[in-house]
Each structure stands twice: as C-alpha cells, then as structure tokens.
Amino acid sequence: DVDEMEGLELRLSDTELLHAMAVEESDETVAGALETAVAALASDLGKLELRSLFTGDHDAHFAVCEIHAKDGGTDAQDWAEMMLRMYQRWAERRGFDIEIDEVTAGQEAGILSATFIIKGRYATGLLASERGMHRLVRISPFDSQARRQTSFASMSVVPLLEEAEAVEVDEKDLRIDT
C-alpha cells in the first residue's frame, strides 16, 4: 500500500510538471495526455480511498460464498443460477480468481445451491453487503400462463481463514453432566 501511494504521488508530481511546462510554453498539444493522466490518477485514488474504508478484522481475506435457492420453485433455482453467474462476472471484472467448490443442479432448471471462493484482496469486505436474501420479480418463463413470479435466493459470505483461531474455554464456564 505504501509503495502504491508513493507511486501515485510520483505520477501526480509528473502530471503537475507536465501541466506547468505546457502552460509555460502555451503548448495545447499535451491536453489529451493531461486529461488521460488526470483521469487515471482519479480512478486509482478512488480505488485507494475505497480500500481505506475496509477496517474490519477480516475484510482483506478471501471470501467463501454460498448461494441457496429459496421460495419460488423453479424460478428461484433459475434466480440462484443467475446470481452465481453475476458474482463470477463481478469477480472476473475485478481481477479476482473464483473457485467453485460445489454446485447442486435444480430439478428442471437452475441450481439448488452453490459454494464458491472468491480469491482477491478485500473480497470479504467488498461482498459483506451482499449477505442476505435476494428477490427477483419477473414474468416467469416457466409458467404457461405467463404470470408474475417472485423468487428468492440467499447469499452468505464468510472470510476464508487460513488458520483456525484458537478458542479458549474457561473451566468454570463448563458444566459436565453424566
């Protein structure tokens, strides 16, 4: 992070120097290069600012995710499969690796459940807000009468811990019955 910050500072000073030279010599040919450099700097600073928000103990870890189809029958299973594809594409766009551990196929279409690991820095922090129930309301492609269907699928996200943290239980907290 420090190296990245120092690199951003160096790029900023280079851009400032280029701007000062262009203003001094009234050179308008570097305007495009300056706009590109400023846009890239703004994007990289935005990413750094976003990462600074992740202050939780496990935010920087890889994420173990589970998707389960809930109420809605075949439509819910189709919705769960759409969610799996959505998170796969999200991970790919961010440059994260994804490892699918288990997928249980649905009876007619979609999936009943899926377990996967998203491997990337701050994956748990980025996905923490995705925990919970996701709802889809649409005209069902599986209903011959083309009625509106509400489908539900749950998403759980937990950090992938490399080493299990030791749990200490005080002897006075134990009650042993025989």
Side-chain angles (χ1 to χ4, degrees):
D1 289 342
V2 173
D3 291 341
E4 185 176 348
M5 188 63 188
E6 289 173 352
L8 284 171
E9 288 175 350
L10 181 63
R11 287 173 46 203
L12 179 62
S13 66
D14 289 348
T15 304
E16 287 174 338
L17 180 63
L18 180 61
H19 177 263
M21 289 171 51
V23 168
E24 183 178 305
E25 296 181 15
S26 300
D27 186 4
E28 294 181 14
T29 60
V30 295
L34 280 171
E35 286 179 15
T36 304
V38 169
L41 277 168
S43 173
D44 291 345
L45 282 171
K47 290 176 187 174
L48 190 63
E49 183 180 13
L50 177 66
R51 284 199 336 233
S52 72
L53 299 175
F54 298 122
T55 58
D57 291 341
H58 303 294
D59 284 348
H61 288 85
F62 295 169
V64 178
C65 306
E66 288 185 353
I67 296 174
H68 294 280
K70 297 293 185 185
D71 298 337
T74 304
D75 284 296
Q77 295 168 17
D78 190 40
W79 174 225
E81 185 176 35
M82 284 190 269
M83 285 177 56
L84 177 61
R85 283 194 316 265
M86 177 183 71
Y87 289 115
Q88 285 176 309
R89 289 185 182 128
W90 175 85
E92 289 168 2
R93 269 188 252 121
R94 286 210 170 257
F96 293 166
D97 292 328
I98 186 165
E99 176 183 314
I100 297 180
D101 287 341
E102 170 271 329
V103 175
T104 304
Q107 288 84 12
E108 295 177 40
I111 61 173
L112 289 171
S113 66
T115 303
F116 55 97
I117 300 171
I118 295 184
K119 298 179 178 181
R121 190 167 181 211
Y122 297 109
T124 298
L126 288 165
L127 288 168
S129 64
E130 296 294 317
R131 286 184 187 112
M133 196 64 67
H134 293 251
R135 180 175 75 170
L136 172 69
V137 179
R138 67 176 179 175
I139 302 297
S140 175
F142 304 104
D143 186 351
S144 61
Q145 297 176 357
R147 292 179 288 193
R148 187 175 73 165
Q149 175 72 32
T150 303
S151 309
F152 297 91
S154 68
M155 170 80 164
S156 66
V157 179
V158 294
L160 178 65
L161 301 178
E162 314 211 343
E163 223 176 89
E165 296 175 3
V167 177
E168 293 184 25
V169 179
D170 194 2
E171 289 290 327
K172 65 181 177 187
D173 292 337
L174 295 176
R175 186 179 107 199
I176 301 174
D177 294 331
T178 56

